[in-house]
Amino acid sequence: MQTVYVNGDYLPKDEAKISVFDRAFLFADAVYEVTSVIGGKLVDFAGHMARLHRSLGELDIEPPVSDDEMLDIHRRLVAENAIEEGMIYLQVTRGTADRDFLFPEKDVRPNLVLFAQAKSLIDNPFVERGQKIVSMEDLRWRRCDIKTTQLLYASWAKSLAHADGADDAWLVRDGFITEGTSNNAYIVKEDGTIVTRQLSEDVLSGITRSAVLECARQLQMKVEERPFTVEEAKAAAEAFSTSASSFVNPVVEIDGSTIGNGAPGPVARRLREIYLEKSRAAAI
Ligand code: PMP
């Protein structure tokens, strides 16, 4: 039976409940993090905590527990749910209050929910066959740097991509790709230079993005942080995406155009290997 954490209690899945007046349910007034688990250990926990604090700070929500307590909760969920490989999902909501657009007074306490999901992450069919991407207008709100649970457009875009026979969507704002529905987007030029959009309010600052760019720089690969277009992606030597649960995930097609020779490229493969090697070694 799955064990879920709710505000201090470890409960069987069916008993884990939050009020219908929770502001996440009514307004998507909540932030979240997803930390991957490899070999029963947490990957880049500190990075996820740093981003959580930033998201909470931007929205003026108090952290409900300390980082040490958060680590204990993560570890207990890994143990109780016997997670060898998978994810820990964490959500902090502004709390439960009468429905009102105005943020409630400070005496309303945030709600904290975490659960574990077992999932095969390292063995992923995309590593061999690559993802097919379609581009779509980026219709999300303008603060994509805050990791809120306002995921309807991202979820819709991914579903539309699937209906179109693709695996995911890359979102386009003012003619340039911002990111994927739940991942950062990259292309590799013919000369081996990795291109990914610079950080701003248009994209989420991926924890995997920062680790992978560091791997790339250590491997003396050239990195350009700048916007790129769908046309540039079509003409690229290779492409890939990154996220905590997919690591480095090759892309072989965009809008029906084959990228490179249509197979996952060597840069994505190498970065995935190095990222996994480092993550395993540093996991806690
Ligand atoms: N962009 C978006 C929109 C995302 O939802 C995610 C994953 N949550 C990412 C990028 C990748 O971030 P991370 O590497 O921290 O998982």
Side-chain angles (χ1 to χ4, degrees), residues 32-35 47-48 51 140 144 147-148 151 154 171 179-186 202-210 242-247 275:
Y32 76 109
E33 283 295 329
V34 178
T35 301
H48 289 284
R51 187 172 61 190
R140 300 173 301 167
C144 296
K147 196 165 168 62
T148 75
L151 294 172
L171 306 174
E179 57 186 337
T181 58
S182 61
N183 45 70
N184 293 110
Y186 308 73
D202 294 338
V203 296
L204 186 73
S205 172
I207 304 305
T208 321
R209 176 187 185 279
S210 104
T242 64
S243 74
S245 54
S246 69
F247 314 133
Y275 171 77

Side-chain angles (χ1 to χ4, degrees), residues 1-210:
M1 180 50 128
Q2 200 178 347
T3 298
V4 175
Y5 174 95
V6 184
N7 292 330
D9 295 321
Y10 292 84
L11 302 164
K13 180 181 174 177
D14 296 346
E15 290 171 29
K17 298 203 165 85
I18 283 282
S19 166
V20 295
F21 294 101
D22 181 273
R23 288 186 51 94
F25 183 66
L26 298 175
F27 293 101
D29 188 354
V31 301
Y32 76 109
E33 283 295 329
V34 178
T35 301
S36 63
V37 178
I38 307 180
K41 291 183 174 175
L42 300 160
V43 175
D44 215 336
F45 179 77
H48 289 284
M49 284 307 102
R51 187 172 61 190
L52 175 66
H53 284 291
R54 182 177 181 280
S55 297
L56 290 171
E58 289 297 298
L59 295 174
D60 202 17
I61 301 174
E62 285 296 317
V65 298
S66 71
D67 286 6
D68 284 347
E69 286 169 284
M70 205 65 105
L71 179 58
D72 289 344
I73 301 166
H74 277 72
R75 285 181 163 156
R76 183 156 162 195
L77 287 176
V78 169
E80 291 207 11
N81 294 284
I83 308 291
E84 239 332 269
E85 206 171 299
M87 284 105 74
I88 302 291
Y89 175 90
L90 166 180
Q91 179 170 323
V92 182
T93 85
R94 191 178 303 277
T96 309
D98 272 347
R99 186 177 182 279
D100 192 334
F101 277 74
L102 198 61
F103 286 171
E105 293 301 323
K106 285 285 180 196
D107 55 346
V108 169
R109 296 287 309 144
N111 286 317
L112 176 61
V113 171
L114 289 94
F115 56 80
Q117 281 180 304
K119 195 175 175 201
S120 171
L121 304 179
I122 294 171
D123 242 357
N124 172 346
F126 291 130
V127 177
E128 295 310 320
R129 75 171 165 84
Q131 307 170 84
K132 292 183 180 174
I133 299 295
V134 285
S135 66
M136 236 171 258
E137 185 74 13
D138 191 342
L139 297 178
R140 300 173 301 167
W141 80 326
R142 306 299 300 260
R143 288 304 304 274
C144 296
D145 57 315
I146 310 175
K147 196 165 168 62
T148 75
T149 59
Q150 244 190 127
L151 294 172
L152 181 55
Y153 186 68
S155 170
W156 190 13
K158 182 160 186 172
S159 301
L160 290 173
H162 268 241
D164 220 12
D167 302 299
D168 199 2
W170 278 8
L171 306 174
V172 178
R173 178 170 291 157
D174 300 331
F176 294 93
I177 290 166
T178 50
E179 57 186 337
T181 58
S182 61
N183 45 70
N184 293 110
Y186 308 73
I187 56 171
V188 182
K189 297 197 294 187
E190 286 297 342
D191 71 357
T193 304
I194 296 163
V195 183
T196 192
R197 195 179 177 103
Q198 74 280 13
L199 296 181
S200 72
E201 293 181 354
D202 294 338
V203 296
L204 186 73
S205 172
I207 304 305
T208 321
R209 176 187 185 279
S210 104

Side-chain angles (χ1 to χ4, degrees), residues 253-269:
E253 190 185 297
I254 185 159
D255 290 348
S257 287
T258 298
I259 297 175
N261 64 4
V267 172
R269 192 179 301 273

